[in-house]
């Protein structure tokens, strides 16, 4: 019978037990407990724990983001639905959006740190520390440098400017200008939206096109062939009989 904190099943009374993961009471019968512990909802809640920084051991449940030890009246479901946890998670994801910061190990309770992929360092994962890091000039410079090759932005002879291959436009060689172009320029954002919609599910790579200034082609891994990297040619390719036959 699957009881104990490992399974979230604890004693409640002589006739029933309580699942502190799901926040429900279960008749104190082996069959009922087994059915619940093997059920989809119970397993989903355990998965939610691993994605929200909640861990358990033989003595207690603990939420690492909230630095909160569960009481006897708490459940994982009630905690995840609470404003404190939800607000913390929303604030965290707002801070790390587009910042190349990985929090998977922290939320799986494998570490107390987030990892910044562009700065190649760990950050104690509090909202204050993460905010200070993403606003630091060194981080902003590293993010800017990371964005250039993945957005087809290249240096030119004049170091005061950069050239965007997608838009055939020159932009100032500053962090602000690069960020604004990548995030807000309608032509730039529109190019990515159209191309990514076209290649979704078609196993077509545009990585080399973006990273190499003189590359003209995307590559279809299904057909093992190059395709001129613009909407017209990619549209023609993904609609072609030869390409579609690769998926049949």
């Amino acid at each position: 019978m699957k009881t104990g904190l490992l399974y979230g099943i604890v004693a409640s009374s002589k006739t029933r037990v309580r699942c502190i993961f799901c926040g429900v009471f279960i008749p104190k019968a082996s069959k009922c407990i087994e059915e619940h512990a093997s059920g989809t909802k119970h397993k989903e809640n355990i998965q939610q724990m691993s994605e929200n920084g909640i861990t358990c051991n033989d003595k207690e449940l603990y939420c690492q983001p909230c630095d909160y030890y569960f009481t006897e009246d708490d459940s994982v479901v009630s905690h995840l639905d609470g404003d404190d946890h939800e607000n913390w998670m929303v604030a965290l994801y707002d801070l790390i959006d587009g910042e190349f910061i990985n929090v998977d190990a922290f939320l799986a309770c494998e570490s107390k740190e987030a990892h910044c992929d562009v700065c190649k360092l760990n950050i104690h994962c509090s909202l204050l520390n993460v905010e200070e890091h993403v606003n630091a000039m060194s981080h902003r410079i590293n993010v800017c440098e990371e964005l250039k090759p993945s957005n087809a932005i290249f240096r030119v002879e004049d170091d005061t400017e950069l050239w965007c291959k997608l838009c055939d436009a020159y932009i100032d060689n500053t962090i602000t200008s690069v960020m604004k172009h990548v995030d807000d320029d309608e032509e730039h954002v529109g190019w990515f939206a159209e191309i990514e919609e076209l290649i979704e599910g078609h196993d077509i790579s545009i990585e080399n096109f973006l990273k190499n200034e003189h590359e003209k082609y995307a590559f279809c891994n299904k057909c093992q062939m190059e395709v001129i990297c613009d909407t017209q040619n990619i549209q023609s390719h993904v609609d072609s009989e030869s390409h579609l036959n690769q998926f049949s």
Side-chain angles (χ1 to χ4, degrees):
M1 183 168 60
K2 298 178 180 179
T3 59
L5 267 179
L6 178 62
Y7 300 101
I9 308 297
V10 297
S12 177
S13 70
K14 292 182 178 180
T15 59
R16 62 182 186 174
V17 294
R18 180 172 179 263
C19 177
I20 57 175
F21 294 167
C22 305
V24 297
F25 292 97
I26 308 160
K28 196 174 184 178
S30 296
K31 181 180 179 180
C32 296
I33 295 171
E34 290 287 348
E35 285 180 352
H36 177 81
S38 301
T40 300
K41 189 63 178 177
H42 184 77
K43 292 178 179 177
E44 286 177 353
N45 287 333
I46 292 175
Q47 180 64 33
Q48 285 288 304
M49 291 169 60
S50 69
E51 297 171 356
N52 280 272
I54 299 175
T55 187
C56 65
N57 55 37
D58 291 337
K59 296 181 179 179
E60 56 201 352
L61 280 170
Y62 174 69
C63 177
Q64 186 163 249
C66 302
D67 190 21
Y68 177 75
Y69 290 92
F70 284 48
T71 70
E72 292 183 357
D73 296 326
D74 291 325
S75 70
V76 170
V77 171
S78 64
H79 184 74
L80 293 181
D81 287 343
D83 289 342
D84 289 345
H85 185 87
E86 183 178 358
N87 290 341
W88 194 96
M89 294 293 288
V90 168
L92 177 68
Y93 280 113
D94 281 347
L95 283 172
I96 67 174
D97 184 35
E99 298 293 342
F100 303 96
I101 293 176
N102 190 307
V103 295
D104 290 349
F106 174 80
L107 294 178
C109 294
E110 296 168 357
S111 170
K112 292 186 178 296
E113 297 177 317
H115 183 76
C116 179
D117 294 332
V118 293
C119 299
K120 305 294 191 295
L121 56 79
N122 292 326
I123 313 152
H124 182 73
C125 197
S126 70
L127 295 180
L128 178 60
N129 284 347
V130 173
E131 182 177 13
E132 288 179 349
H133 180 78
V134 300
N135 288 328
M137 181 57 67
S138 59
H139 176 77
R140 302 255 49 85
I141 292 171
N142 288 337
V143 169
C144 184
E145 291 303 311
E146 185 74 18
L147 288 173
K148 290 175 185 177
S150 60
N151 280 271
I153 295 174
F154 302 95
R155 293 184 180 276
V156 295
E157 290 185 5
D158 181 358
D159 281 342
T160 64
E161 288 187 318
L162 299 165
W163 178 62
C164 177
K165 175 182 177 180
L166 306 183
C167 307
D168 191 19
Y170 291 91
I171 58 178
D172 291 338
N173 188 8
T174 65
I175 296 172
T176 301
S177 294
V178 172
M179 297 292 193
K180 184 174 179 60
H181 186 78
V182 168
D183 293 335
D184 300 327
D185 185 89
E186 290 185 7
E187 183 176 355
H188 191 89
V189 174
W191 188 94
F192 273 100
E194 290 180 359
I195 294 293
E196 289 176 352
E197 183 178 0
L198 283 174
I199 68 177
E200 184 177 6
H202 288 279
D203 201 10
I204 295 175
S205 172
I206 62 172
E207 183 175 347
N208 286 337
F209 172 81
L210 294 173
K211 291 187 175 182
N212 298 311
E213 182 177 356
H214 302 294
E215 180 62 70
K216 297 179 180 179
Y217 299 96
F219 189 78
C220 178
N221 295 294
K222 281 290 185 181
C223 303
Q224 288 295 295
M225 65 177 289
E226 294 178 326
V227 184
I228 293 176
C229 195
D230 59 31
T231 54
Q232 181 178 348
N233 283 282
I234 291 179
Q235 180 75 71
S236 177
H237 179 74
V238 299
D239 289 341
S240 67
E241 185 176 349
S242 60
H243 177 75
L244 295 173
N245 285 341
Q246 299 297 324
F247 291 85
S248 59

